[in-house]
C-alpha cells in the first residue's frame, strides 16, 4: 500500500491507532454480483483479494505517480522552463539542479520500459495501452496547488493530525522537508522580487506561467492549479513561491517517496 494513498481501502484506526484494512472490493461498479471480501473470509480468499488489490495499486503507483507525475509531467515543466527562462534568470538557476538527468532517464524509460513489446507491455497487467490511459487520466486531474502541495494534500485526506494517525512516516518526513524547501525558495524569490511591480514586468516569468497552463494542443503543459490570476498571471511573491516549491518538492521529496518503494510495492504480486 503506498503510504501517501491510504484512502484507496476502507480503514479503521484501532486502539493502538494503526491502520488496518476492513474490506476489499475489486471493481468500481456497485453491481449485486460485485463481492466484498473481509478478513473473516477463508485465509486464502482474503489473501487473494489483497493480492489483486495490491497489483492494482502497484499499477496505479508505477503509471500515475512514478512515471506520469514525477517523470513525464516534470519533463514538460523542464522543457517549458528552457523555452521561457534564460539560463541567467534567477529562477532558472533555482530550478535547474532539480531536473538534472531527467531527460536522459525519461529517454531510457520510453525506449526500454514504455515501448510496445517492452518491459511494461510484457510484465504489467494493463500493458502499454492501459499504462498510457492511466497516465492520461492523471494529467487531466492533477493540480499544482492541490496535489503537488504536500501538506495540503495530506490535510485533504484527514491524516495530518498525529493524534488521529500517530505512525505515518511519509507525513512526518515529507512535511518537514517541504517546509524547508518552502523557506529556501521564499528567501530566493523575495531577494529578487522586492516589490510586486517587478513581477508584472518580468515577461520571462509570466510567459513561463502562461505556457505551464496552456493546453497541450497549443504547445503548452496543460497543468492545472498554477497559482496566480487568469488574466494577470503571477501578481505577488507568494504565488511564485508556492509554484516553485511544489515543483521542486515533486522532483525530490515526492519522487523519493514513490520511486524507492516500487520494489516493495510491485514484487509480491
Amino acid at each position: 500500500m503506498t503510504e501517501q494513498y491510504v484512502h484507496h481501502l476502507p480503514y479503521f484506526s484501532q486502539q493502538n491507532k494503526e491502520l488496518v484494512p476492513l474490506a476489499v472490493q475489486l471493481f468500481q461498479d456497485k453491481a449485486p454480483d460485485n463481492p466484498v471480501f473481509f478478513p473473516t473470509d477463508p485465509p486464502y480468499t482474503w489473501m487473494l483479494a489483497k493480492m489483486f488489490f495490491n497489483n492494482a495499486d502497484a499499477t496505479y503507483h508505477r503509471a500515475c505517480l512514478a512515471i506520469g507525475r514525477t517523470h513525464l509531467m516534470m519533463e514538460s515543466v523542464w522543457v517549458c522552463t528552457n523555452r521561457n527562462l534564460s539560463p541567467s534568470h534567477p529562477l532558472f538557476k533555482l530550478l535547474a539542479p532539480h531536473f538534472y538527468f531527467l531527460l536522459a532517464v525519461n529517454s531510457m524509460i520510453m525506449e526500454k520500459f514504455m515501448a510496445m513489446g517492452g518491459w511494461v507491455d510484457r510484465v504489467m497487467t494493463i500493458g502499454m495501452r492501459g499504462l498510457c490511459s492511466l497516465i492520461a487520466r492523471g494529467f487531466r486531474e492533477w493540480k499544482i496547488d492541490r496535489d503537488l502541495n504536500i501538506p495540503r494534500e495530506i490535510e485533504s485526506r484527514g491524516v495530518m493530525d498525529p493524534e488521529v494517525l500517530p505512525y505515518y512516516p511519509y507525513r512526518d518526513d515529507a512535511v518537514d522537508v517541504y517546509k524547508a524547501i518552502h523557506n529556501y525558495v521564499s528567501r530566493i524569490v523575495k531577494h529578487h522580487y522586492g516589490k510586486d511591480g517587478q513581477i508584472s514586468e518580468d515577461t520571462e516569468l509570466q510567459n513561463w506561467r502562461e505556457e505551464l497552463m496552456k493546453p497541450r494542443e497549443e504547445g503548452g503543459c496543460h497543468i492545472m492549479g498554477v497559482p496566480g490570476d487568469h488574466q494577470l498571471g503571477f501578481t505577488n511573491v507568494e504565488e511564485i513561491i508556492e509554484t516553485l516549491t511544489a515543483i521542486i518538492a515533486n522532483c525530490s521529496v515526492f519522487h523519493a517517496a514513490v520511486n524507492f518503494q516500487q520494489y516493495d510495492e510491485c514484487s509480491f504480486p
Side-chain angles (χ1 to χ4, degrees):
M1 192 64 204
T2 54
E3 287 190 355
Q4 48 277 59
Y5 283 84
V6 295
H7 65 293
H8 285 181
L9 272 175
Y11 275 81
F12 173 72
S13 186
Q14 296 178 314
Q15 288 185 350
N16 60 4
K17 295 189 177 180
E18 291 183 358
L19 294 178
V20 294
L22 286 179
V24 174
Q25 191 169 33
L26 296 176
F27 301 95
Q28 294 179 339
D29 61 79
K30 297 181 180 180
D33 58 347
N34 183 8
V36 178
F37 300 94
F38 299 98
T40 52
D41 289 338
Y44 289 106
T45 302
W46 176 237
M47 179 181 290
L48 190 61
K50 288 192 293 182
M51 285 178 64
F52 269 93
F53 174 83
N54 192 173
N55 184 61
D57 191 64
T59 299
Y60 172 82
H61 183 128
R62 176 172 288 275
C64 289
L65 304 184
I67 296 177
R69 183 171 142 181
T70 64
H71 281 270
L72 300 185
M73 176 190 270
M74 291 301 102
E75 177 174 332
S76 70
V77 174
W78 183 221
V79 171
C80 174
T81 301
N82 278 276
R83 282 177 174 173
N84 294 282
L85 301 181
S86 62
S88 61
H89 195 287
L91 300 189
F92 182 98
K93 294 180 178 181
L94 177 63
L95 286 172
H98 303 283
F99 293 108
Y100 282 160
F101 308 116
L102 175 64
L103 297 185
V105 172
N106 285 3
S107 177
M108 183 268 291
I109 289 174
M110 298 299 294
E111 179 182 344
K112 296 183 180 293
F113 289 177
M114 296 182 66
M116 296 302 295
W119 183 88
V120 167
D121 219 18
R122 291 183 288 108
V123 175
M124 294 185 68
T125 310
I126 58 172
M128 260 306 301
R129 289 184 175 86
L131 184 91
C132 292
S133 176
L134 277 180
I135 292 173
R137 289 169 62 181
F139 267 99
R140 291 194 293 268
E141 297 174 0
W142 289 316
K143 292 184 177 181
I144 276 190
D145 59 356
R146 182 190 66 192
D147 301 296
L148 273 63
N149 185 309
I150 291 175
R152 193 172 296 158
E153 189 277 328
I154 294 174
E155 185 71 48
S156 71
R157 292 185 283 112
V159 289
M160 180 63 85
D161 187 356
E163 292 296 321
V164 174
L165 181 61
Y167 183 72
Y168 192 6
Y170 172 72
R171 173 199 63 208
D172 298 337
D173 294 339
V175 170
D176 284 347
V177 178
Y178 188 93
K179 289 178 179 178
I181 294 171
H182 185 275
N183 290 338
Y184 176 68
V185 171
S186 296
R187 292 172 61 189
I188 300 295
V189 173
K190 289 178 181 179
H191 174 76
H192 289 283
Y193 297 96
K195 299 179 181 179
D196 290 342
Q198 293 177 270
I199 298 172
S200 61
E201 296 170 1
D202 190 337
T203 55
E204 290 188 17
L205 177 65
Q206 299 294 359
N207 290 340
W208 179 74
R209 181 190 179 276
E210 182 181 352
E211 189 169 305
L212 285 178
M213 301 187 67
K214 187 183 296 184
R216 280 183 289 278
E217 297 77 15
E218 300 176 20
C221 302
H222 204 168
I223 296 175
M224 298 182 294
V226 180
D229 182 85
H230 182 68
Q231 297 294 333
L232 301 177
F234 289 128
T235 60
N236 59 67
V237 293
E238 295 304 325
E239 294 167 349
I240 303 172
I241 291 167
E242 181 175 359
T243 303
L244 296 175
T245 301
I247 291 171
I248 292 172
N250 194 60
C251 289
S252 55
V253 183
F254 190 79
H255 177 266
V258 298
N259 182 67
F260 293 115
Q261 62 174 324
Q262 284 187 88
Y263 181 79
D264 294 333
E265 176 79 353
C266 301
S267 60
F268 182 69

